């Protein structure tokens, strides 16, 4: 079971939760489990079976793109989903 | 074994000496010599011969060649009384300096004759009082405060993030603050934009901010740019010379524009962004760490990136994030501590948590990598819209 931190812009898709739990051996498995339960997340996280370019996924504070991408094994550390935010005013 | 006296006498016999009156006459000639002050820093700070170069005796041999490559230049070396300068003159001769004399009686005699003395820029009594809590911190101190007073910081946006950032930077004595913002103060701003106030509604934000800052600290020179930062004006504005940029803008096109310009101008950016209860802060130092494009290569589609105007923001959140930006800015200006370079700080005010994730340089970054593919300004609005369309397709 992996805890996944949901950013404010995606919370509408998961019933307003700040954090949800998901199953999977690697990042891909966790995201697929999430998408299966919250289909609204699909287009916001994945693109052509890969990670969408505008969203960053961190495992234990490290960008999974600098690890093994979607194949990165999960080991009980929290996953953070993070799209860019532009607000400043 | 020779005593100090013997040694000094022997050295003095091997060098040229010049009296204060003669030295002053030489100084007024069409080909004046360079005065070289070899005293300690504390002595220098109390006053020196106008135009003198200061190199403490202990660093003379190691630094002089770099500072003064021309060995034929006429030099008058002085200390407080004429002894340290005698040894210095001997060393300089051994290093090949051909025309060196030591000032007899030193700076003490120069001053006693009533000749001109220059005092280095120091803090005024008012500044000593104003910045006393900074002067007490060893990492800041008088040198650090002088550095802040000589610093130039450009703020993009005089809104939620720009308000606290500008106030704290101004209070800290950052000498020149530039502010870029095209908007006027609106009543919906006042829930969080604390540099403005009710009587400023309808006034240009840059002018309102300037008035507030000048009332807070008259040491600060505020430069206003009542315009939206664009590819057309960015070179003019950045070309005025800034030590760093505090990015508090509210839209993706400007974020990418600020990034590209800062990389090409080699200016560090303290980045902050906010939405509802959450904030992000980091530092982008061109070529030393990641840039904004390394972190977010592509802007999200518009439906995933609502602005504060669309989604709202807790009024105090920009206070937290903008203050952190000011703190990072001061550290960068002072050259102290560990900045957020390479780390993105995530703040959740609702849960009261601070998390951080690491941000790496992207070896394929289109702007800051070794082989950049973007080398001039693009149409940033179009770039962000295209990213949205590609995702929607």
């Amino acid at each position: 079971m992996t805890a996944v931190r949901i950013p404010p812009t995606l919370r509408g898709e998961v019933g307003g939760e700040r954090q949800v739990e998901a199953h999977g051996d690697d990042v891909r498995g966790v995201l697929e489990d999430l998408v299966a339960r919250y289909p609204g997340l699909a287009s916001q996280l994945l693109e052509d079976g890969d990670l969408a370019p505008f969203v960053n996924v961190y495992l234990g504070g490290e960008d999974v793109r600098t690890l093994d991408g979607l194949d990165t094994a999960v080991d009980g550390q929290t996953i953070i989903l993070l799209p860019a935010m532009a607000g400043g005013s | 074994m020779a005593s100090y006296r013997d040694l000094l006498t022997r050295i003095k016999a091997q060098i040229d000496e010049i009296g204060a009156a003669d030295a002053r006459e030489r100084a007024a000639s069409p080909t004046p010599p360079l005065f070289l002050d070899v005293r300690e820093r504390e002595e220098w700070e109390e006053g020196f011969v106008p135009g003198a170069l200061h190199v403490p005796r202990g660093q003379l041999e190691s630094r002089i060649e770099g500072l003064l490559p021309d060995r034929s230049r006429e030099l008058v070396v002085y200390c407080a009384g004429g002894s340290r300068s005698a040894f210095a003159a001997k060393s300089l001769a051994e290093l090949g300096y051909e025309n060196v004399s030591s000032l007899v009686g030193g700076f003490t005699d120069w001053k006693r004759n009533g000749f001109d003395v220059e005092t280095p820029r120091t803090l005024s009594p008012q500044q000593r009082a104003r910045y006393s809590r900074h002067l007490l911190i060893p990492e800041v101190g008088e040198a650090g405060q002088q550095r802040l007073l000589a610093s130039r910081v450009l703020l993009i946006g005089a809104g939620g993030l720009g308000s606290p950032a500008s106030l704290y930077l101004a209070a800290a004595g950052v000498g020149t603050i530039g502010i870029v913002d095209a908007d006027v103060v609106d009543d919906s701003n006042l829930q969080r934009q604390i540099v403005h106030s009710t009587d400023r509604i309808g006034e240009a934000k840059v002018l309102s901010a300037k008035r507030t800052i000048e009332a807070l600290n008259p040491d600060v020179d505020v430069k206003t740019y009542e315009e939206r930062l664009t590819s057309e004006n960015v070179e003019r504005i950045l070309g005025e010379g800034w030590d760093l940029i505090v990015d508090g803008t509210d839209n993706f096109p400007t974020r990418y524009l600020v990034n590209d310009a800062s990389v090409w101008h080699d200016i560090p950016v303290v980045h902050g962004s906010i939405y509802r209860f959450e904030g992000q802060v980091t530092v982008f130092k061109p070529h030393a760490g990641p840039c904004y494009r390394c972190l977010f290569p592509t802007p999200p589609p518009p439906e995933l990136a609502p602005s504060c105007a669309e989604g709202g923001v807790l009024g105090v959140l920009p206070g937290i994030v903008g203050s952190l930006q000011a703190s990072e800015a001061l550290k960068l200006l002072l050259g102290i501590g560990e900045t957020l370079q390479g780390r993105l700080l995530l703040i959740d005010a609702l849960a009261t948590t601070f998390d951080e994730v690491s941000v790496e340089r992207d070896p394929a970054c289109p702007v800051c990598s070794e082989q950049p593919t973007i080398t001039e300004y693009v149409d940033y609005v179009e770039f962000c819209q295209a990213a949205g369309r590609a995702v929607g397709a």
Side-chain angles (χ1 to χ4, degrees):
Chain A
M1 195 74 105
T2 299
V4 182
R5 196 78 61 79
I6 307 293
T9 48
L10 296 181
R11 281 179 204 156
E13 309 293 347
V14 299
E17 295 296 323
R18 183 176 169 272
Q19 186 167 306
V20 297
E21 307 260 292
H23 289 279
D25 297 331
D26 53 16
V27 175
R28 185 190 309 276
V30 169
L31 295 187
E32 282 172 354
D33 182 40
L34 265 186
V35 166
R37 285 152 53 212
Y38 308 106
L41 286 177
S43 66
Q44 326 242 22
L45 296 179
L46 301 167
E47 197 177 288
D48 303 329
D50 211 344
L51 202 54
F54 51 83
V55 63
N56 292 349
V57 176
Y58 300 90
L59 177 70
E62 299 292 324
D63 188 335
V64 299
R65 287 192 183 90
T66 67
L67 304 172
D68 294 324
L70 289 179
D71 298 327
T72 307
V74 297
D75 52 2
Q77 290 177 300
T78 299
I79 283 182
I80 297 177
L81 304 180
L82 195 77
M85 302 195 302
S89 71
Chain B
M1 199 195 304
S3 70
Y4 167 70
R5 269 290 133 216
D6 298 335
L7 183 62
L8 181 62
T9 308
R10 200 161 71 219
I11 293 292
K12 283 197 169 190
Q14 296 171 31
I15 60 162
D16 291 329
E17 291 187 299
I18 188 169
D22 287 342
R24 178 160 177 269
E25 206 169 292
R26 291 287 308 125
S29 76
T31 54
L34 178 69
F35 284 78
L36 183 61
D37 189 322
V38 296
R39 296 173 302 161
E40 297 305 308
R41 190 195 138 110
E42 306 79 65
E43 299 175 277
W44 162 265
E45 282 174 350
E46 311 231 311
F48 51 88
V49 174
L53 176 70
H54 177 227
V55 186
R57 175 70 191 89
Q59 299 166 16
L60 182 68
E61 289 83 355
S62 61
R63 291 185 54 202
I64 194 66
E65 287 173 298
L67 293 168
L68 207 64
D70 177 10
R71 286 175 160 74
S72 63
R73 180 84 193 264
E74 182 186 353
L75 299 176
V76 174
V77 192
Y78 71 90
C79 57
S83 303
R84 279 174 288 173
S85 62
F87 288 101
K90 177 77 167 75
S91 272
L92 288 165
E94 285 173 0
L95 283 168
Y97 289 87
E98 297 156 10
N99 195 350
V100 183
S101 40
S102 168
L103 184 67
V104 179
F107 186 68
T108 311
D109 204 39
W110 176 275
K111 234 166 91 175
R112 194 162 42 226
N113 276 287
F115 299 157
D116 278 355
V117 168
E118 196 174 320
T119 318
R121 206 163 50 97
T122 52
L123 296 175
S124 67
Q126 292 83 355
Q127 287 175 321
R128 269 180 201 290
R130 177 181 288 269
Y131 305 117
S132 64
R133 299 303 186 275
H134 270 172
L135 302 182
L136 288 167
I137 308 175
E139 288 83 352
V140 184
E142 179 152 352
Q145 190 61 52
Q146 293 279 15
R147 204 159 164 175
L148 293 180
L149 287 162
S151 295
R152 299 169 57 86
V153 174
L154 182 67
L155 289 139
I156 315 293
L161 297 172
S163 283
S166 63
L167 285 171
Y168 274 115
L169 292 175
V174 169
T176 306
I177 294 179
I179 309 176
V180 187
D181 199 313
D183 289 344
V184 296
V185 180
D186 178 86
D187 44 11
S188 72
N189 299 150
L190 299 174
Q191 160 255 24
R192 64 199 178 285
Q193 298 184 11
I194 56 174
V195 79
H196 310 301
S197 52
T198 308
D199 63 353
R200 309 274 170 80
I201 290 171
E203 190 174 329
K205 282 188 178 176
V206 290
L207 298 178
S208 165
K210 182 180 167 78
R211 281 167 64 191
T212 307
I213 289 169
E214 285 175 349
L216 172 63
N217 188 350
D219 284 345
V220 182
D221 180 17
V222 182
K223 306 222 177 280
T224 57
Y225 304 90
E226 193 181 339
E227 53 200 310
R228 195 174 180 83
L229 194 72
T230 64
S231 298
E232 284 68 46
N233 62 20
V234 66
E235 283 299 298
R236 167 171 55 82
I237 296 173
L238 262 63
E240 292 189 18
W242 303 98
D243 296 310
L244 66 86
I245 294 170
V246 174
D247 184 358
T249 187
D250 60 356
N251 63 86
F252 282 108
T254 311
R255 298 262 182 204
Y256 283 95
L257 169 63
V258 167
N259 180 71
D260 296 356
S262 71
V263 170
W264 295 329
H265 282 263
D266 200 20
I267 305 173
V269 175
V270 183
H271 170 94
S273 65
I274 47 173
Y275 180 72
R276 294 197 172 162
F277 292 95
E278 298 188 26
Q280 301 177 357
V281 193
T282 190
V283 167
F284 299 119
K285 210 168 177 186
H287 307 296
C291 77
Y292 186 62
R293 285 182 189 264
C294 297
L295 174 61
F296 295 118
T298 310
E303 69 274 16
L304 258 187
S307 67
C308 296
E310 294 157 337
V313 61
L314 184 72
V316 68
L317 183 73
I320 299 167
V321 173
S323 299
L324 280 166
Q325 286 181 282
S327 174
E328 292 300 294
L330 293 175
K331 284 157 54 190
L332 283 163
L333 294 172
L334 292 167
I336 58 172
E338 293 278 322
T339 71
L340 282 170
Q341 178 184 315
R343 297 184 287 153
L344 177 67
L345 183 68
L346 307 173
I347 299 140
D348 182 342
L350 199 54
T352 317
T353 56
F354 287 72
D355 292 299
E356 66 175 62
V357 295
S358 64
V359 187
E360 310 263 325
R361 279 190 79 178
D362 178 357
C365 176
V367 170
C368 84
S369 66
E370 301 273 320
Q371 268 98 34
T373 52
I374 299 174
T375 55
E376 56 185 39
Y377 298 107
V378 300
D379 181 332
Y380 291 88
V381 174
E382 168 59 25
F383 164 69
C384 292
Q385 281 169 351
R389 274 201 303 274
V391 168

